[in-house]
Amino acid sequence: MNKLLLAIVVLFSIAISATEDITGVWYDDKDSGEYYVVILNNEEEGYKFINFSFKEQDTVDELVLAKNESSVWTRVTNDDNDWDVICEYSYVDENTLQVIYEGDYNGTDYLKRKQIK
């Protein structure tokens, strides 16, 4: 019984840590660095996604819809341009996230981690 409980705890820890790797500041290096996504995650509030642009001096929040051990799904609604998309974020490696967009824009982008020193 103790071994079963330990196995469940270990599997749960692995599942949680798989999506925690997406926290940080991310940008599309093919988009001239105008837009950034900040991804935060803590035990009390869960995930929080914030998009911002220094050029536009504006922010757009993303609503977290669901998550599993490999992906987080969000919804972005930007009232300024009537843009509404569902985003699926997946960890590729420590410096790359894949984002699949469906809605007013359909496509796949790869975001790079912004190194902050």
Side-chain angles (χ1 to χ4, degrees):
M1 180 70 159
N2 285 340
K3 289 182 181 180
L4 176 61
L5 183 59
L6 179 61
I8 291 170
V9 169
V10 169
L11 287 174
F12 184 71
S13 298
I14 291 170
I16 288 176
S17 67
T19 52
E20 285 183 6
D21 292 326
I22 69 171
T23 60
V25 180
W26 302 88
Y27 68 101
D28 185 345
D29 62 349
K30 295 174 181 60
D31 188 25
S32 69
E34 291 182 20
Y35 298 96
Y36 296 87
V37 179
V38 176
I39 303 173
L40 306 172
N41 186 20
N42 68 53
E43 290 181 21
E44 292 178 18
E45 298 178 19
Y47 279 102
K48 185 170 189 174
F49 286 66
I50 304 165
N51 292 277
F52 69 92
S53 167
F54 288 118
K55 182 178 178 183
E56 301 292 329
Q57 293 293 298
D58 200 8
T59 62
V60 177
D61 291 334
E62 291 187 45
L63 175 66
V64 176
L65 301 174
K67 65 178 179 172
N68 66 21
E69 61 275 353
S70 62
S71 299
V72 176
W73 289 266
T74 66
R75 181 177 193 159
V76 179
T77 303
N78 186 340
D79 295 331
D80 293 341
N81 60 10
D82 294 326
W83 202 60
D84 186 34
V85 296
I86 302 295
C87 306
E88 178 185 354
Y89 290 87
S90 301
Y91 180 85
V92 175
D93 62 41
E94 67 182 29
N95 292 309
T96 310
L97 281 184
Q98 176 182 314
V99 186
I100 300 171
Y101 302 96
E102 293 182 6
D104 291 329
Y105 169 74
N106 294 295
T108 301
D109 284 329
Y110 291 89
L111 303 180
K112 297 298 181 186
R113 185 183 298 275
K114 179 74 175 163
Q115 300 299 325
I116 300 175
K117 298 177 183 181

